[in-house]
Amino acid sequence: MPTLQSNKKGSSPHSLEARVRTTFATARTESAKLVEEVDAHINSAQTLLARMKEQRETNRSDLSVRLQADEEKIHVLCAAYSPLFDDVVHQRIQSVDTMKAIAHASDVETRKSRKRLMEKAKIRLDDARERHKLAMDASELVKHYKALVLAL
């Protein structure tokens, strides 16, 4: 916006009034242009929003149709493969039960084997103690015999 320059030398009331009128006229035309630009921008934004709403509604209806079609396909597949699913589930349950039985049997066998091992180890230990005791007794007999032989 143009600024008014104070010129004391050539300031006449008519020239000041003319400058004020010119300034106001320029301001009016600039504000009118600005209002037109803002109106154009608002109109373009409203048009864009309207297009976006239409697109959203179109996408929403398309999505609804697709979801319905997919749901129908899933129901058809489930109906077609239901016996297969039942067989698979039954086989899976059977195999899990078999594995549990094998694990239990293996656990029982492991306990029996451990018990047998402990019994054998105890028998061997008892035998070793008996041999050690016999060896000690024999050693005592030999010492006693040597003492008798030396005493004679």
Side-chain angles (χ1 to χ4, degrees):
M1 189 142 108
T3 57
L4 296 177
Q5 295 176 357
S6 67
N7 192 356
K8 292 188 178 182
K9 294 180 185 175
S11 292
S12 68
H14 294 294
S15 67
L16 183 59
E17 192 175 308
R19 280 190 300 188
V20 167
R21 276 191 222 133
T22 306
T23 304
F24 278 122
T26 305
R28 276 189 216 106
T29 57
E30 285 181 13
S31 66
K33 285 180 188 177
L34 187 59
V35 166
E36 287 174 6
E37 288 175 6
V38 168
D39 282 343
H41 184 67
I42 288 172
N43 288 338
S44 97
Q46 287 175 342
T47 304
L48 180 62
L49 283 173
R51 271 191 260 145
M52 288 172 68
K53 284 181 184 178
E54 287 174 13
Q55 186 65 38
R56 188 184 86 210
E57 288 302 317
T58 304
N59 289 345
R60 189 172 170 203
S61 63
D62 287 347
L63 181 62
S64 177
V65 169
R66 282 190 213 155
L67 286 175
Q68 246 178 347
D70 288 347
E71 190 173 327
E72 289 172 8
K73 288 177 186 176
I74 288 171
H75 286 297
V76 167
L77 287 173
C78 285
Y81 291 108
S82 181
L84 179 64
F85 290 150
D86 292 340
D87 288 344
V88 168
V89 169
H90 180 67
Q91 288 174 357
R92 180 70 179 164
I93 289 171
Q94 205 171 26
S95 68
V96 167
D97 289 343
T98 304
M99 292 307 291
K100 282 182 183 177
I102 290 171
H104 181 67
S106 175
D107 188 41
V108 169
E109 280 297 316
T110 303
R111 286 184 191 160
K112 286 181 182 178
S113 175
R114 187 180 304 136
K115 187 175 179 181
R116 283 192 306 267
L117 181 65
M118 292 300 288
E119 288 172 355
K120 287 181 182 179
K122 185 176 186 248
I123 290 170
R124 285 183 184 163
L125 186 61
D126 289 343
D127 285 346
R129 282 184 187 154
E130 185 66 29
R131 279 187 262 133
H132 185 273
K133 185 177 177 185
L134 288 174
M136 292 302 289
D137 288 345
S139 176
E140 285 294 317
L141 277 173
V142 168
K143 284 182 187 177
H144 189 62
Y145 179 75
K146 277 185 181 179
L148 281 175
V149 170
L150 288 176
L152 290 176

